[in-house]
């Protein structure tokens, strides 16, 4: 059985009035309630991903402690909270996941992603930043990170990375330093 996770396959009732006349329009990009006329758009959620490079040129990767893709490699980061600046989200996520502070950030690239959580597709725009931290030797896994690894970027393989967007970010970084 193929699990249908797209919002058009999951959302059945209007979140405003509870009617079952909540219909997908525009090929699943929005919904309209025929009862109360409420319109809901499927938009991307902002997420941040941080590339932290060791003095030897190795990329810091985290090991996911939770689903989706539990046990796979990821870049540190996470969702931007409502009304939070991206720059603040980067600092918060790195403190939560690694226990260190960001001292410098530089935007690198963005890639779209489909993040399936609780059998529901959350579409994200993963914003990648090259970051430096106050003391890389004090990095410790915490929160939703079970471990950390430093790997030379050109030694990273697609099958070890948690998502296509994170792998695309890493590939973009490799191509930018060549």
């Amino acid at each position: 059985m193929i699990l249908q996770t797209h919002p058009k396959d999951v959302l059945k009732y209007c979140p405003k009035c509870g009617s079952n006349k909540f219909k997908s329009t525009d090929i699943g990009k929005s919904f309209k309630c025929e009862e109360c006329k409420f319109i809901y758009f499927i938009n991307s959620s902002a997420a941040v991903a941080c590339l932290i490079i060791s003095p030897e040129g190795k990329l810091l990767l985290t090991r996911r402690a939770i689903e989706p893709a539990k046990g796979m490699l990821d870049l540190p980061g996470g969702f931007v909270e409502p009304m939070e600046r991206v720059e603040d989200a980067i600092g918060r996520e790195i403190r939560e996941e690694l226990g260190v502070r960001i001292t410098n950030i530089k935007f690198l690239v963005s890639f779209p992603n489909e993040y399936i959580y609780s059998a529901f597709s959350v579409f994200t725009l993963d914003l990648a930043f090259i970051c430096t931290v106050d003391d890389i030797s004090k990095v410790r896994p915490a929160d939703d990170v079970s471990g950390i690894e430093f790997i030379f970027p050109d030694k990273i393989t697609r099958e070890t990375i948690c998502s296509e967007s994170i792998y695309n970010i890493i590939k973009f970084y490799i191509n930018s330093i060549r």
Side-chain angles (χ1 to χ4, degrees), residues 121-140:
S121 291
V122 177
F123 299 98
T124 68
L125 182 59
D126 296 347
L127 304 157
F129 296 83
I130 296 175
C131 302
T132 54
V133 296
D134 55 358
D135 189 348
I136 203 165
S137 70
K138 292 187 178 176
V139 167
R140 300 290 180 265

Side-chain angles (χ1 to χ4, degrees), residues 58-79:
K58 292 181 178 181
L59 180 62
L60 184 152
L61 295 170
T62 59
R63 185 81 54 192
R64 294 184 58 82
I66 61 172
E67 295 294 348
K70 182 178 179 178
M72 296 192 78
L73 294 173
D74 198 356
L75 290 169
F79 285 100

Side-chain angles (χ1 to χ4, degrees), residues 97-117:
E97 293 184 356
L98 303 176
V100 293
R101 297 199 180 279
I102 293 291
T103 58
N104 192 31
I105 62 172
K106 179 183 174 195
F107 178 74
L108 178 65
V109 69
S110 65
F111 282 98
N113 186 31
E114 182 178 4
Y115 184 87
I116 299 173
Y117 186 77

Side-chain angles (χ1 to χ4, degrees), residues 12-164:
K12 303 295 181 199
Y13 299 96
C14 175
K16 185 174 181 187
C17 75
S19 165
N20 66 350
K21 296 180 180 177
F22 194 54
K23 305 298 180 194
S24 174
T25 61
D26 302 322
I27 314 166
K29 293 181 183 176
S30 67
F31 292 80
K32 183 174 183 179
C33 179
E34 296 171 358
E35 199 70 32
C36 74
K37 308 302 182 216
F38 175 74
I39 298 174
Y40 177 75
F41 291 94
I42 304 299
N43 295 311
S44 291
S45 295
V48 294
C50 301
L51 291 93
I52 300 170
I53 313 302
S54 74
E56 304 84 35
K58 292 181 178 181
L59 180 62
L60 184 152
L61 295 170
T62 59
R63 185 81 54 192
R64 294 184 58 82
I66 61 172
E67 295 294 348
K70 182 178 179 178
M72 296 192 78
L73 294 173
D74 198 356
L75 290 169
F79 285 100
V80 178
E81 294 178 355
M83 303 307 293
E84 182 179 40
R85 293 178 344 122
V86 167
E87 297 85 352
D88 295 333
I90 292 167
R92 176 184 51 76
E93 287 288 346
I94 296 305
R95 281 189 310 278
E96 289 173 3
E97 293 184 356
L98 303 176
V100 293
R101 297 199 180 279
I102 293 291
T103 58
N104 192 31
I105 62 172
K106 179 183 174 195
F107 178 74
L108 178 65
V109 69
S110 65
F111 282 98
N113 186 31
E114 182 178 4
Y115 184 87
I116 299 173
Y117 186 77
S118 293
F120 185 76
S121 291
V122 177
F123 299 98
T124 68
L125 182 59
D126 296 347
L127 304 157
F129 296 83
I130 296 175
C131 302
T132 54
V133 296
D134 55 358
D135 189 348
I136 203 165
S137 70
K138 292 187 178 176
V139 167
R140 300 290 180 265
D143 194 35
D144 55 1
V145 172
S146 64
I148 58 168
E149 296 184 30
F150 287 93
I151 302 174
F152 285 109
D154 61 348
K155 301 295 184 204
I156 297 168
T157 60
R158 170 61 190 103
E159 55 274 357
T160 62
I161 301 298
C162 67
S163 73
E164 195 67 30

